[in-house]
Amino acid sequence: HPLIDQGQVRCEIVVGREAGPVAEFAAREMRTFLSESFGHDVAILGAPSGTNTALIVGENALHKELGLDLARLPADGFIIKSLGRHIVIAGLDDKTIQPEREMGILRDVFGKGGLQYERGSLFGVYEFLERFLGVRFYFPGKIGTIVPGHDSLALPALNLERHPAFIVRKMGT
């Protein structure tokens, strides 16, 4: 699965309409860091072009065709799996939350918003960036994020499934 080959981008990010705002945000995050690492823009498309390695982010109509069942994943769990020319990075995502609006706002800790929404695809994208591109997120902002450059990068067949260590992540009285 080539992502970049001697300076030529050989991948594209695919996020379908059914994916929702969390997966769309995850795809934009992926594009930001892939583009910085490769020194070239990486496209976000609505469907695979068939000419490049497709990095499919979030829920997609292709999942049934590819035999994937995201419903069996726990909250915030995700898969990173290669299927043919595709690499699927997906988990369960809240379809109503706009992550950019929620990230800096810690509203009612016991309700929706702030940190209380499902974002499995976003966790999958960050795992992908850390594990396969070597991106390091030490603290927020440009100075706290290390993005190594790549002129060539190809990935082997992938089959990862991750579940959170702690399902309950809020406190109450």
Side-chain angles (χ1 to χ4, degrees), residues 14-55:
V14 175
V15 61
R17 289 184 184 179
E18 58 281 324
V22 173
E24 290 168 1
F25 175 73
R28 288 191 302 275
E29 286 283 88
M30 177 171 263
R31 176 180 55 193
T32 295
F33 295 107
L34 285 177
S35 296
E36 184 176 340
S37 177
F38 298 165
H40 299 283
D41 286 335
V42 176
I44 296 179
L45 306 174
S49 69
T51 58
N52 290 315
T53 300
L55 302 169

Side-chain angles (χ1 to χ4, degrees), residues 26-27 29-30 57 89 120-130:
E29 286 283 88
M30 177 171 263
V57 177
I89 305 166
S121 296
L122 183 60
F123 289 139
V125 162
Y126 289 142
E127 174 75 16
F128 180 88
L129 293 169
E130 289 177 337

